[in-house]
Amino acid sequence: MPGPTRVVTFGTFDVFHAGHLRLLERAAALGDRLVVGISSDELNRGKKGRSPVYPLAARMAIVGALRCVDEVFVEHSLEAKRRYLVEQRADVLVMGDDWAGRFDGLGDVCRVVYLERTPAVSTTAIIEQIRGVPAEVGESA
Ligand code: C2G
């Protein structure tokens, strides 16, 4: 009998929002176990040119506490995907469709699936919205 289907996905998941949750729930539905590689703070600085709002330990705690997530690990390098997938014995790699086509070369390790991103929600937009709101009088900074 084949073992459980292991799904692996990657991301920063900074300022966790409903778009992240939807991605993880749909990824989990593709198999029996969902393992999530969380980008290190250094990797995020390289990718996005800024430090994440939530440090790695907090992002790992939040994602790891979700009902749909079985395990989290640290993603130190974008280029190490093949090694991570082999180590995690992945059957399926899930990526958001902002990465469509980028990981097709890993198709010899596991199935590669790109899921549609949730429109109109992003960490950057949330940060900008909060930045634009003046603090209430008397509120501490
Ligand atoms: N996502 C989504 N809808 C949004 C925003 C994000 O479906 N509105 C998905 C992304 O496509 C990604 C996951 O949520 O699959 C995590 O998003 P990010 O933290 O922005 O991921 P990113 O920093 O692009 O990291 O190795 C790949 C990278 O680590 C991906």
Side-chain angles (χ1 to χ4, degrees), residues 107-129:
D108 58 327
V109 181
C110 63
R111 191 155 81 89
V112 181
V113 175
Y114 303 97
L115 296 180
E116 198 184 314
R117 279 170 67 93
T118 302
V121 52
S122 75
T123 298
T124 306
I126 293 167
I127 293 170
E128 274 164 16
Q129 191 182 347

Side-chain angles (χ1 to χ4, degrees), residues 5 11 13 16 19 37 44 61 67 75-76 85 93 110-111 119 122 124 135 140:
T5 300
F13 301 98
F16 195 86
N44 190 70
R67 195 159 43 203
E75 179 192 32
H76 291 286
L85 293 173
L93 166 64
C110 63
R111 191 155 81 89
S122 75
T124 306
S140 56

Side-chain angles (χ1 to χ4, degrees), residues 11-13 39 47-48 75 78 81 96 98-99 117-118 121:
T12 311
F13 301 98
S39 302
K47 251 187 331 189
K48 306 200 174 162
E75 179 192 32
L78 289 180
K81 288 244 170 8
D98 43 328
W99 297 87
R117 279 170 67 93
T118 302
V121 52

Side-chain angles (χ1 to χ4, degrees), residues 1-10 27-36 70 73 81-95 103-104 106-114:
M1 221 178 83
T5 300
R6 295 172 65 91
V7 182
V8 175
T9 193
F10 296 88
L30 294 174
D32 304 302
R33 280 182 66 76
L34 176 60
V35 181
V36 185
D70 294 287
F73 67 94
K81 288 244 170 8
R82 176 175 295 274
R83 177 166 60 79
Y84 293 133
L85 293 173
V86 170
E87 276 170 9
Q88 296 296 333
R89 288 174 286 118
D91 298 297
V92 186
L93 166 64
V94 169
M95 298 296 296
F103 298 106
D104 290 356
L106 297 171
D108 58 327
V109 181
C110 63
R111 191 155 81 89
V112 181
V113 175
Y114 303 97

